[in-house]
């Protein structure tokens, strides 16, 4: 399989890169304020530079909530998270600094429907990174070419297919030149024939050495691209292993049960 | 994009021909069968014919339309001094020229600026100005303005095609036109001063309505955001403002402005009565507008703000680039509805003695020469208001169509 050699490539590049810690989460707890539901019950995870971590788990396990704490879209009540060496606290300055370095791709794309594709991609670089418009547009066009939708730059998101929209969303996040990319079920809202084009984009991103945390149910992607796969269930991190070990030799019953349901 | 032509498996099978229905058949089928439909049709048509006949008889035999042309200057400008009328004509020309240029620039990519509909509209306007029993000078002025409009539009399109970036300056230019207008009407800076008590007629109506509309919109946006705010004091203040204003009838606010403020404030400190009217209208409309816009804000999915946050946009940027444009777009019909009511609500000022379009009509009718001509005058008033409100509603439809590109 072509994916097999790809995995090797990534592992090779990872051996070269230093093991700088990009995300460190320690004993993160979160309760939903409304009903005191304990959604994260002490989750710890370390992601090093250039690493691709896939988070799997049944729905309601808290996996989306967990990665959304990394860029402060969700608050947490107990524990510690630091991203790119910056401690995530209630300090708004820290939150802004972290969000600049962390790109996020959502399940529902969340493109801005009233702006063209190009405007979607250039808005944040111009207003947050303070880039000149021409410069931001040049970068945006490069990124759009990379994700294969250069010719759609002047269109509005509503005129694109789901797969194209998600690729625009990836380009939009990349335009901020983030150090980390978070993917929150990026292919779950797509028609089956469009999943591949988005996964291919993510795959090439991983090949370039981007640090990525992906919540996804795509087993093929996890097997071929991930450096590590973790399983979350009931607000806990149950299993953490290399993809090979995770899928072929799971240690925990919860993982076995989960895999038996999805494979 | 490639278009796919489906292969017709049976070349002889063409789509069923559209069945042509003659008008008579349509009437027979939809209005006259079964018998009770025919009965209802006849009753309704009868009522309309009777009313229409009565109106025509009145309009062409009994009504004395001379009251309109004889007082046209009053309807237009109230008790504005006649020796300063030229200023209003200059203002009107400026407005017409800028409308033409703006239209030309906005429509710079349209191949035929003067489409059939536009030409018909211009022709109708010219024709009406000839038919109406108004002084020749007015007729010539209207024709002149129409020609000016066409020329300016033609020129605007030429300029707009050369300099596509010009579109963004239209709004600021209109603001300048507004200031020039206020100067031309009010005088000062070298022109004879005309106090607001002499302003009146349609001019005053349009003036008050446009200023109030321009002011109530940003205030409404601020209160809409305030009501959604997480800061308790801001939220409380916004809710109080909106609920108190919405609990008071407009006429009460206007009375307070015209009658009560003079009681509280000494002679020199009283704001001008037109200004008081504008403040009253603005305060009132902004509360309703705030609620309209809040409706739009609630329609924005949470993912939009989350995506903006994730990109590092701070709350002010998120609101002004992501949330507000979408929220306002979602409620344009309601907002324009509010503007139209505001325009019509200016008529309430006639009760407190401001001589706007309706108020000046009461003065005209008080003239012994035109006693009992209220039907003619009120009909003329209605037509005047309809023209402006219909224009606003058409404008809103146009804006909606332009903004609806993403679907």
């Amino acid at each position: 399989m072509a994916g097999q050699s790809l995995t090797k490539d990534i592992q090779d590049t990872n051996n070269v890169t230093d093991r700088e810690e990009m995300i460190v989460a320690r004993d993160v707890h979160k309760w939903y304020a409304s009903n005191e539901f304990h959604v994260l019950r002490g989750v710890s995870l370390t992601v090093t530079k250039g690493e691709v971590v896939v988070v799997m788990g049944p729905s309601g396990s808290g996996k989306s909530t967990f990665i959304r704490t990394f860029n402060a879209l969700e608050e947490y009540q107990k524990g510690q998270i630091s991203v790119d060496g910056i401690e995530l606290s209630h300090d708004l300055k820290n939150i802004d600094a972290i969000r600049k370095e962390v790109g996020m791709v959502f399940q529902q794309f969340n493109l801005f429907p009233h702006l063209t594709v190009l405007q979607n991609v250039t808005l944040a670089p111009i207003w947050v990174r303070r880039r000149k418009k021409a410069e931001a547009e040049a970068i945006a066009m490069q990124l759009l070419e990379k994700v294969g939708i250069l010719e759609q730059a002047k269109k509005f998101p509503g005129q694109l297919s789901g797969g194209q929209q998600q690729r625009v969303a990836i380009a939009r996040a990349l335009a901020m030149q983030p150090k980390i990319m978070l993917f929150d079920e990026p292919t779950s809202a797509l028609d089956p024939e469009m999943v591949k084009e988005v996964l291919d984009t993510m795959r090439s991103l991983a090949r370039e050495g981007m640090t990525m945390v992906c919540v996804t149910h795509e087993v093929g992607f996890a097997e071929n691209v991930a450096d590590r796969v973790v399983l979350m269930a009931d607000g806990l991190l149950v299993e953490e292993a290399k993809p090979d070990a995770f899928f072929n030799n799971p240690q925990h019953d919860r993982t076995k049960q989960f895999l038996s349901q999805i494979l | 994009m490639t278009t796919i032509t489906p292969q017709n498996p049976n070349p002889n099978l063409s789509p069923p021909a559209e069945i042509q229905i003659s008008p008579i058949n349509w009437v027979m089928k939809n209005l006259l069968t079964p018998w009770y439909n025919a009965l209802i049709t006849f009753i309704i048509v009868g009522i309309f014919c009777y009313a229409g006949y009565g109106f025509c008889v009145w309009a062409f035999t009994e009504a004395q339309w001379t009251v309109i042309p004889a007082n046209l200057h009053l309807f237009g400008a109230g008790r504005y001094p006649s020796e300063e009328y030229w200023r209003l004509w200059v203002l009107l020309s400026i407005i017409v020229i800028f409308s033409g240029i703006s239209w030309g620039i906005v429509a710079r990519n349209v191949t035929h600026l003067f489409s059939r509909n536009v030409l018909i509209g211009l022709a109708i306007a010219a024709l009406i100005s000839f038919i109406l029993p108004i002084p020749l000078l007015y007729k010539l002025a209207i024709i002149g303005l129409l020609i000016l409009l066409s020329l300016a539009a033609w020129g605007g399109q030429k300029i707009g095609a050369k300099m596509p970036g010009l579109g963004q300056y239209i709004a600021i230019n209109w603001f300048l036109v507004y200031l020039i207008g206020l100067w031309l009407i009010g005088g000062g800076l070298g022109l004879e001063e005309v106090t607001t008590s002499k302003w009146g007629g349609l001019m005053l109506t349009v003036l008050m309505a446009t200023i109030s509309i321009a002011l109530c919109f940003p205030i409404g946006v601020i209160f809409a955001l305030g009501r959604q705010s997480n800061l308790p004091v801001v939220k409380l203040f916004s809710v109080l403002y909106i609920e108190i204003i919405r609990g008071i009838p407009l006429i009460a606010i206007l009375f307070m402005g015209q009658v009560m403020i003079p009681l509280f404030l000494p002679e020199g400190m009283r704001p001008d009565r037109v200004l008081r009217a504008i403040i009253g209208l603005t305060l009132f409309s902004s509360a309703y507008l705030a609620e309209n816009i809040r409706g739009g804000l609630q329609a924005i999915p949470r993912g939009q703000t989350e995506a903006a946050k994730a990109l590092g946009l701070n709350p002010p940027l998120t609101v002004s680039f992501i949330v507000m444009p979408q929220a306002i777009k979602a409620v344009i019909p309601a907002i324009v509805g509010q503007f139209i009511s505001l325009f019509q609500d200016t008529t309430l000022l006639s009760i407190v003695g401001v001589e706007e379009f309706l108020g000046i009509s009461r003065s005209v009718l008080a003239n012994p020469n035109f006693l009992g001509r209220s039907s003619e005058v009120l009909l003329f008033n209605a037509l005047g208001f309809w023209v402006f409100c219909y224009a606003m509603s058409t404008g809103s439809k146009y804006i909606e169509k332009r903004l609806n590109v993403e679907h």
Side-chain angles (χ1 to χ4, degrees):
Chain A
M1 246 174 81
Q4 216 56 42
S5 62
L6 201 75
T7 322
K8 218 165 150 275
D9 286 351
I10 294 159
Q11 280 164 351
D12 287 346
T13 50
N14 277 341
N15 290 338
V16 181
T17 56
D18 52 336
R19 308 298 284 173
E20 191 185 332
E21 290 174 342
M22 294 304 285
I23 300 173
V24 182
R26 258 190 224 109
D27 192 32
V28 176
H29 287 260
K30 179 184 172 69
W31 289 263
Y32 279 129
S34 53
N35 53 4
E36 307 236 323
F37 176 62
H38 198 171
V39 57
L40 299 178
R41 305 197 292 171
V43 191
S44 301
L45 182 73
T46 303
V47 183
T48 55
K49 190 168 183 183
E51 204 180 11
V52 177
V53 175
V54 165
V55 184
M56 299 189 111
S59 63
S61 59
K63 53 193 190 309
S64 282
T65 309
F66 181 50
I67 74 159
R68 284 158 58 95
T69 57
F70 297 164
N71 62 350
L73 286 185
E74 299 278 356
E75 291 184 347
Y76 58 96
Q77 280 81 32
K78 201 170 151 241
Q80 276 178 324
I81 297 178
S82 68
V83 178
D84 191 27
I86 306 167
E87 186 78 23
L88 233 180
S89 58
H90 290 290
D91 191 346
L92 287 175
K93 246 192 183 152
N94 278 2
I95 291 179
D96 280 347
I98 286 171
R99 282 178 180 162
K100 271 191 212 173
E101 307 302 337
V102 180
M104 186 156 199
V105 176
F106 299 87
Q107 182 178 359
Q108 300 293 342
F109 330 136
N110 293 350
L111 292 179
F112 307 130
H114 61 300
L115 301 177
T116 63
V117 165
L118 187 62
Q119 287 168 333
N120 263 282
V121 180
T122 56
L123 183 75
I126 291 173
W127 289 93
V128 182
R129 288 265 190 230
R130 298 270 159 210
R131 290 208 194 294
K132 293 211 173 62
K133 197 179 170 210
E135 192 191 345
E137 282 182 354
I139 296 173
M141 294 309 256
Q142 272 176 12
L143 287 170
L144 289 175
E145 193 177 6
K146 194 168 128 185
V147 298
I149 29 179
L150 186 60
E151 61 280 11
Q152 321 277 9
K154 300 279 176 210
K155 287 192 182 169
F156 286 89
Q159 298 165 315
L160 305 183
S161 73
Q164 290 173 324
Q165 290 194 45
Q166 193 60 298
R167 285 185 282 151
V168 173
I170 293 173
R172 178 176 71 175
L174 290 176
M176 284 295 284
Q177 299 179 319
K179 295 181 179 160
I180 302 162
M181 285 285 282
L182 307 175
F183 292 84
D184 187 2
E185 304 202 27
T187 55
S188 300
L190 295 175
D191 290 340
E193 76 267 27
M194 290 168 184
V195 170
K196 187 176 174 289
E197 59 189 57
V198 171
L199 289 182
D200 283 344
T201 309
M202 290 167 64
R203 201 166 276 158
S204 71
L205 202 57
R207 207 177 302 150
E208 288 164 21
M210 175 64 78
T211 311
M212 290 163 63
V213 182
C214 315
V215 173
T216 181
H217 298 297
E218 297 295 332
V219 174
F221 178 81
E223 277 181 324
N224 297 331
V225 185
D227 297 306
R228 248 189 311 154
V229 183
V230 301
L231 183 88
M232 278 188 74
D234 306 319
L236 287 168
L237 217 149
V238 177
E239 178 140 4
E240 187 175 344
K242 297 241 173 214
D244 201 29
F246 183 89
F247 289 107
N248 298 324
N249 186 20
Q251 299 299 309
H252 296 262
D253 288 345
R254 191 71 186 83
T255 317
K256 286 175 193 160
Q257 189 199 343
F258 176 75
L259 289 176
S260 74
Q261 279 161 350
I262 63 164
L263 288 176
Chain B
M1 292 283 280
T2 52
T3 49
I4 301 158
T5 349
Q7 289 290 303
N8 200 334
N10 181 355
N12 295 328
L13 194 71
S14 54
E18 258 181 64
I19 301 155
Q20 294 287 325
I21 315 171
S22 73
I24 294 170
N25 278 340
W26 185 88
V27 168
M28 285 299 284
K29 186 164 172 272
N30 291 293
L31 299 180
L32 299 178
T33 43
W35 63 270
Y36 52 81
N37 269 355
L39 189 66
I40 294 169
T41 304
F42 280 122
I43 291 173
I44 292 173
V45 169
I47 291 171
F48 272 108
C49 286
Y50 184 75
Y53 175 75
F55 175 78
C56 288
V57 167
W58 172 80
F60 292 110
T61 60
E62 288 170 37
Q64 293 176 20
W65 293 104
T66 49
V67 61
I68 308 294
N71 294 296
L72 215 50
H73 58 285
L74 282 177
F75 289 122
R79 297 181 199 285
Y80 203 80
S82 53
E83 63 274 13
E84 304 290 341
Y85 275 172
W86 63 270
R87 281 151 57 170
L88 303 184
W89 283 111
V90 169
L91 174 59
L92 202 57
S93 311
I94 293 177
I95 292 174
V96 163
I97 289 171
F98 266 91
S99 308
I101 293 177
S102 308
W103 170 32
I105 289 177
V106 169
R108 60 181 172 274
N109 296 326
V110 180
T111 39
H112 296 288
L113 188 59
F114 298 99
S115 63
R116 203 180 59 186
N117 287 350
V118 173
L119 285 177
I120 290 174
L122 288 173
I124 288 177
L127 201 67
I128 286 176
S129 71
F130 259 105
I131 292 172
L132 285 181
I134 52 176
L136 185 66
L137 193 67
Y138 283 137
K139 290 185 194 207
L140 291 177
I142 292 174
I143 304 283
L145 288 175
L146 287 176
I147 292 171
L148 213 54
L149 180 74
S150 313
L151 284 177
W154 179 77
Q157 197 185 26
K158 287 272 171 291
I159 300 167
K162 276 204 184 109
M163 291 181 276
L166 223 55
Q168 53 194 328
Y169 297 107
I170 290 178
I172 187 103
N173 264 319
W174 274 105
F175 183 68
L176 287 178
V177 169
Y178 213 95
L179 291 183
I180 293 170
L182 284 179
W183 170 61
L184 280 172
I185 294 171
L189 298 173
L191 286 177
E192 181 93 23
E193 208 154 323
V194 182
T195 59
T196 55
S197 57
K198 288 183 180 152
W199 301 9
L202 195 56
M203 176 191 87
L204 184 61
T205 297
V206 173
L207 197 76
M208 289 192 302
T210 46
I211 297 182
S212 303
I213 285 171
L215 289 178
C216 78
F217 186 67
I219 297 176
V221 167
I222 289 169
F223 278 113
L225 289 173
R227 195 165 186 170
Q228 299 257 305
S229 169
N230 292 327
L231 307 169
V233 178
V234 174
K235 184 171 181 156
L236 180 75
F237 181 73
S238 306
V239 171
L240 276 181
Y241 175 85
I242 291 168
E243 294 306 339
I244 287 174
I245 295 285
R246 292 206 308 167
I248 307 174
L250 175 58
I251 188 71
I253 294 177
L254 295 177
F255 260 115
M256 273 189 247
Q258 300 298 329
V259 184
M260 280 167 67
I261 286 180
L263 297 179
F264 302 144
L265 294 175
E267 183 79 45
M269 277 179 61
R270 287 175 205 166
D272 183 87
R273 59 206 296 262
V274 170
L275 189 63
R276 274 179 275 162
I278 289 170
I279 292 172
L281 288 169
T282 305
L283 291 180
F284 182 78
S285 287
S286 57
Y288 284 86
L289 211 58
E291 284 297 272
N292 286 342
I293 293 171
R294 189 168 68 102
L297 288 175
Q298 282 171 342
I300 307 301
R302 212 174 59 145
Q304 291 288 308
T305 44
E306 280 183 356
K309 272 188 200 170
L311 284 168
L313 292 168
N314 60 21
L317 287 176
T318 306
V319 167
S320 41
F321 287 125
I322 308 301
V323 177
M324 228 4 123
Q326 295 186 61
I328 288 170
K329 205 199 97 183
V331 290
I332 284 175
I335 290 175
V336 175
Q338 188 58 42
F339 288 167
I340 288 175
S341 341
L342 172 61
F343 188 83
Q344 295 174 346
D345 285 344
T346 56
T347 52
L348 286 174
L349 285 160
S350 66
I351 299 174
V352 290
V354 174
E355 288 187 318
E356 45 66 68
F357 194 37
L358 188 68
I360 200 74
S361 306
R362 288 153 60 110
S363 307
V364 168
L365 291 171
N367 181 337
N369 291 333
F370 304 112
L371 229 46
R373 298 274 73 85
S374 54
S375 303
E376 291 87 340
V377 170
L378 288 176
L379 209 61
F380 177 67
N381 278 153
L383 187 70
F385 279 109
W386 178 80
V387 166
F388 277 90
C389 294
Y390 184 71
M392 279 196 255
S393 146
T394 312
S396 111
K397 262 186 239 156
Y398 173 75
I399 292 171
E400 267 180 81
K401 225 168 94 185
R402 266 179 72 94
L403 291 180
N404 248 349
V405 278
E406 65 252 38
H407 299 302

